[in-house]
Amino acid sequence: MSDHARKLLHQHAKTTQLLGVDFHPLGNPPQIQFAVAPQSQQQDQNTQTEHNSKSESFVEPKPVRDFAPTPASSPRPAMPTIDTASIRASYESLKDPQAKLDALKEKYTADAPHAAFNTNFTNIVFGEGSPTADLMFVGEAPGQQEDETGRPFVGRAGELLDKMIIAMGLSRESVYIANVLKTRPPNNATPTVNEAHLCAPYLIEQIRIISPKVIVTLGLPATHLLLATTQPMRSMRGQFHPFPSPPFADAGLPSIDLMPTYHPAFLLRAYTEDNRRKVWSDLTQVIERLGLSKP
Ligand code: URA
């Protein structure tokens, strides 16, 4: 067997191990470098690479949209005025949280905020999981497989998210998984600020109904939207942030601890032990905050 073939086999075995059910970081420093993204994709995490998390392939081209990379000091554009009262009215009279979420989805479908920027999708991917979950994950937007199935995080990034959830000692059914955008952006593009703002009120109402104790934002679009910041991920992750804060502070939401972390699709592209360790450290804090014992 050639050295190259042996190295590939070794990498494959290592990647399989790392992608295995135990998501925990390995104790020892890695002996090999993983064949992950091409150099051009391995930028700092606060750049476009990290933003475009929906790429399920390592080599998928990443269209540049106006979400990224914003200097940390730039102000975020103001939220548009949206009639949130009518959105709330769509479900408020209902008692059952799942019925509320269903009614909210109907309202979203009728309002179709995505029609302003995207009519090229198959299914609305509203979110799924326990309507009373203590833990809610918020991703960016559906990718191809999510668009085909109408379910969030079912592609490669979703497989890794599932493993992360299992490693936390939880199940996919016990958490709630949503996205900032509910429809797949054309060409898998990263949501623009404007697109995120148009869909934000529906995410906010999902959060209100579910009322989780902790939100984990996966990647920058969700983190930037919910914390109204333009800070890079490296300065946001690893610590809890109070939510809601402006501009959502007056929305009457319960107090929730928000932990930003890297998007699983970013992790797949930059599958270094360092990144993996950081994500696991973020998730470990979440486990503790939820009062669960470390698996
Ligand atoms: N990436 C996301 O941000 N959300 C999904 O649902 C799938 C991939």
Side-chain angles (χ1 to χ4, degrees), residues 161-270:
L161 178 61
D162 285 351
K163 285 164 183 159
M164 287 156 58
I165 292 169
I166 289 168
M168 294 173 81
L170 298 167
S171 66
R172 192 174 160 110
E173 296 70 37
S174 68
V175 302
Y176 194 88
I177 304 174
N179 280 306
V180 172
L181 300 195
K182 315 299 190 202
T183 53
R184 182 192 186 203
N187 302 321
N188 264 8
T190 301
T192 66
V193 173
N194 183 48
E195 291 165 2
H197 281 174
L198 287 170
C199 297
Y202 302 87
L203 175 62
I204 294 298
E205 295 312 317
Q206 278 177 304
I207 294 171
R208 189 194 307 282
I209 293 169
I210 296 158
S211 199
K213 290 186 182 134
V214 176
I215 292 176
V216 173
T217 48
L218 301 167
L220 284 179
T223 307
H224 283 178
L225 173 71
L226 292 183
L227 296 181
T229 180
T230 55
Q231 294 294 314
M233 182 56 86
R234 65 171 177 271
S235 62
M236 303 297 292
R237 60 151 291 276
Q239 56 192 307
F240 285 105
H241 299 262
F243 179 84
S245 49
F248 304 114
D250 298 333
L253 294 167
S255 295
I256 299 168
D257 295 320
L258 190 150
M259 173 64 79
T261 199
Y262 294 123
H263 193 289
F266 168 74
L267 208 49
L268 284 173
R269 288 199 301 270

Side-chain angles (χ1 to χ4, degrees), residues 83-100:
D83 178 10
T84 49
S86 86
I87 300 176
R88 270 203 295 286
S90 69
Y91 69 78
E92 249 169 2
S93 63
L94 300 166
K95 289 265 175 306
D96 176 52
Q98 185 57 58
K100 288 184 184 205

Side-chain angles (χ1 to χ4, degrees), residues 53-56 125 138-144 146 151-155 157-158 177-181 218 263-265:
S53 61
K54 291 180 302 305
S55 166
E56 299 289 326
V125 181
V138 181
E140 179 178 324
Q144 184 182 347
E146 291 77 20
R151 299 182 57 209
F153 281 97
V154 290
I177 304 174
N179 280 306
V180 172
L181 300 195
L218 301 167
H263 193 289

